[in-house]
Amino acid sequence: MNCKYFGKCGSCSLYEMTYEQQLSYKINREKERFKEFYINDFEIIKSEDSRFRNRAEFRIWKEYDKENIPTLSYAMTSFEKKVLPISLCEIVSENIHLLMPKLLKLIEKSEILSFKLFACEFLASTTNDILVTLIYHKKLDEKWMQEAKKLEEELKVKIIGRSRGQKIILSSDYINETLTINNKQFFFEYKEGGFTQPNTKVNIQMIQWVLQHLEKSNKDLCELYCGGGNFTIPLSTKFRKTLATEISKTSIKSALRNCELNNIDNIDFIRMSAEEFVEACANKREFNRLKDIDLKEFNFSTIFVDPPRAGLDETTTKLVKNYDKIIYISCNPETLHRDLKELTKTHKIDNFALFDQFAYTNHCESGVILNKI
Ligand SMILES: C[S@@+](CC[C@H](N)C(=O)[O-])C[C@H]1O[C@@H](n2cnc3c(N)ncnc32)[C@H](O)[C@@H]1O
């Protein structure tokens, strides 16, 4: 990939290397980090070289010419932490890339839409569904809604307007996505505000990687940090029953809807933090949210965790160690390393993969499968 903002825009920090070089750099760095636990080769899942991100956020920047006529542009933060106006972004998916200039041109023509517009977020699917969230520093009124509706119809996208204490959904607050996993289609609704994996092609391969390392079982799966069921739904096909928990209400709503869309009825989704789930398992606290679920009815063999950057807290790490098989997907190698120090006291790492979800940045996603010693 070549981007005219390489070296200026603070988003892509590994800009001096080719795709393959930045990947090798990350592989070597992670091999060194994890060598005390794992010395075999990592399985490597590559990204596309460009146009791989299905969600993106930009500031909106206004500049005035000599006649005081404003021009809008998207903006990122530069390495010097200054505003950097940009006309394109090479890492966003093709549909976001094509939409970006058209959207800005139409917004520029409308005083109502452009006034106090502060930021813009895109969420796109491979089925060409796009949600645009316009974020303002002003109260949004009926006039704004009329103008935004016209924009929605002209561009054939879904628009949400946000301002302090306001969220205006013009037609819908989610997009439809279809993921083809091992030749089978899975259907998802991605809701604005819920977590979704940013690199769809890598996401599909992450799910396939986990499935490839799982035998069909008549036992049960426990999942923490399940989001909208991205892994849960395909993985549930390998287990008798699945119990999946997640802290976000928005994500649990999506997860329940995604189950319906895929006609899956062997998953129980519960809105519950990992810390609360630990308390429920230890019978330390009673939860109304668990009133219809008898934890004793599950015969768990495997636990799947995909925590946020902070990794697992101490009590969750202890709980996870009770399961025969642990599947750990991590977006932060530092906290993964810390957690593996503890988990490798009782479990052995059998598989380790690096997923290059965040190409041209220092970030990388990992997958580890551990089995009880
Ligand atoms: C990296 S995302 C993974 C989501 C999902 N596995 C996926 O692939 O889309 C982490 C998820 O953990 C949730 N989360 C954050 N803190 C949590 C906590 N303390 N307990 C449970 N879930 C939490 C977030 O809402 C988010 O959905």
Side-chain angles (χ1 to χ4, degrees):
M1 178 173 94
N2 208 348
C3 176
K4 61 179 174 179
Y5 301 109
F6 266 171
K8 297 179 195 142
C9 170
S11 165
C12 291
S13 44
L14 300 180
Y15 55 85
E16 278 175 327
M17 305 178 201
T18 63
Y19 177 79
E20 293 298 334
Q21 285 167 341
Q22 63 90 44
L23 181 61
S24 304
Y25 164 73
K26 286 190 264 191
I27 296 170
N28 292 334
R29 188 188 66 194
E30 299 314 324
K31 263 195 168 162
E32 186 58 30
R33 189 197 307 271
F34 290 106
K35 69 178 183 211
E36 64 189 283
F37 311 123
Y38 191 77
I39 47 159
N40 297 334
D41 282 341
F42 293 137
E43 290 166 74
I44 305 298
I45 308 293
K46 287 188 190 179
S47 169
E48 300 281 297
D49 181 29
S50 62
R51 309 266 192 273
F52 49 80
R53 261 194 91 92
N54 56 38
R55 57 178 161 87
E57 301 100 44
F58 300 98
R59 280 274 308 276
I60 298 292
W61 193 244
K62 213 174 208 176
E63 274 173 315
Y64 294 88
D65 66 10
K66 281 180 209 143
E67 277 87 47
N68 216 22
I69 298 180
T71 328
L72 294 186
S73 53
Y74 297 100
M76 293 296 290
T77 306
S78 71
F79 283 105
E80 292 81 33
K81 303 273 176 259
K82 291 192 178 137
V83 172
L84 175 77
I86 57 165
S87 58
L88 54 81
C89 171
E90 298 288 356
I91 64 172
V92 297
S93 61
E94 187 69 16
N95 46 8
I96 298 179
H97 177 78
L98 293 173
L99 175 66
M100 284 174 66
K102 290 187 211 158
L103 176 77
L104 216 55
K105 236 186 200 134
L106 290 176
I107 292 178
E108 227 170 37
K109 283 188 194 159
S110 159
E111 175 66 18
I112 294 173
L113 292 177
S114 60
F115 187 58
K116 299 231 169 185
L117 175 60
F118 168 72
C120 175
E121 295 178 355
F122 297 92
L123 177 65
S125 72
T126 53
T127 54
N128 236 353
D129 207 357
I130 308 190
L131 186 70
V132 179
T133 307
L134 300 174
I135 304 165
Y136 288 86
H137 281 327
K138 68 171 177 185
K139 195 169 174 346
L140 303 176
D141 56 13
E142 191 58 39
K143 276 191 181 152
W144 178 88
M145 280 170 70
Q146 284 169 8
E147 287 284 296
K149 194 78 205 159
K150 280 194 238 158
L151 186 66
E152 200 180 49
E153 280 158 14
E154 182 149 1
L155 293 171
K156 297 192 175 43
V157 296
K158 295 165 175 169
I159 292 180
I160 292 182
R162 274 190 180 273
S163 178
R164 186 195 282 256
Q166 260 190 314
K167 177 181 176 182
I168 298 180
I169 301 164
L170 292 181
S171 53
S172 137
D173 65 346
Y174 65 84
I175 53 164
N176 292 296
E177 179 61 292
T178 303
L179 303 183
T180 303
I181 295 158
N182 295 334
N183 298 319
K184 182 173 162 41
Q185 288 191 321
F186 288 90
F187 307 101
F188 292 91
E189 281 181 7
Y190 291 169
K191 234 176 162 36
E192 195 246 8
F195 178 88
T196 50
Q197 299 286 353
N199 185 327
T200 309
K201 287 198 176 149
V202 173
N203 180 37
I204 291 172
Q205 294 182 78
M206 294 201 307
I207 300 169
Q208 290 182 164
W209 179 80
V210 178
L211 284 169
Q212 172 200 324
H213 293 291
L214 278 176
E215 296 288 323
K216 201 159 167 90
S217 161
N218 56 5
K219 293 199 173 170
D220 303 327
L221 170 70
C222 180
E223 182 181 356
L224 311 180
Y225 318 94
C226 68
N230 174 54
F231 283 96
T232 330
I233 290 172
L235 296 194
S236 70
T237 58
K238 291 273 189 180
F239 293 89
R240 186 185 68 119
K241 281 201 299 180
T242 295
L243 179 69
T245 63
E246 152 70 44
I247 202 168
S248 147
K249 242 186 205 167
T250 306
S251 294
I252 284 290
K253 270 193 195 158
S254 291
L256 291 168
R257 175 72 187 132
N258 293 333
C259 250
E260 274 174 21
L261 291 174
N262 293 285
N263 291 319
I264 286 188
D265 60 5
N266 66 340
I267 308 175
D268 285 310
F269 283 106
I270 307 162
R271 194 192 70 73
M272 187 167 252
S273 72
E275 299 81 347
E276 287 172 327
F277 184 66
V278 171
E279 290 183 318
C281 291
N283 289 319
K284 274 198 184 156
R285 241 177 96 185
E286 265 191 33
F287 290 89
N288 211 21
R289 284 165 275 167
L290 281 174
K291 69 178 182 333
D292 299 324
I293 288 170
D294 184 358
L295 288 178
K296 285 186 229 91
E297 274 194 8
F298 288 88
N299 183 11
F300 294 120
S301 59
T302 306
I303 189 156
F304 180 93
V305 292
D306 180 10
R309 293 184 57 75
L312 305 178
D313 68 283
E314 229 170 89
T315 62
T316 307
T317 309
K318 259 194 193 146
L319 174 100
V320 164
K321 285 168 80 178
N322 294 330
Y323 293 75
D324 287 344
K325 190 187 275 295
I326 304 167
I327 305 171
Y328 191 147
I329 301 289
S330 158
C331 57
N332 184 351
E334 286 174 25
T335 53
L336 175 65
H337 182 268
R338 177 202 65 203
D339 296 343
L340 285 180
K341 264 193 187 155
E342 197 50 42
L343 298 178
T344 50
K345 288 181 184 164
T346 48
H347 289 68
K348 166 179 164 289
I349 299 176
D350 283 327
N351 308 90
F352 207 133
L354 283 194
F355 310 112
D356 197 22
Q357 273 233 75
F358 314 98
Y360 294 100
T361 77
N362 272 302
H363 295 287
C364 75
E365 188 99 4
S366 326
V368 186
I369 301 182
L370 301 106
N371 286 297
K372 212 168 216 161
I373 299 170

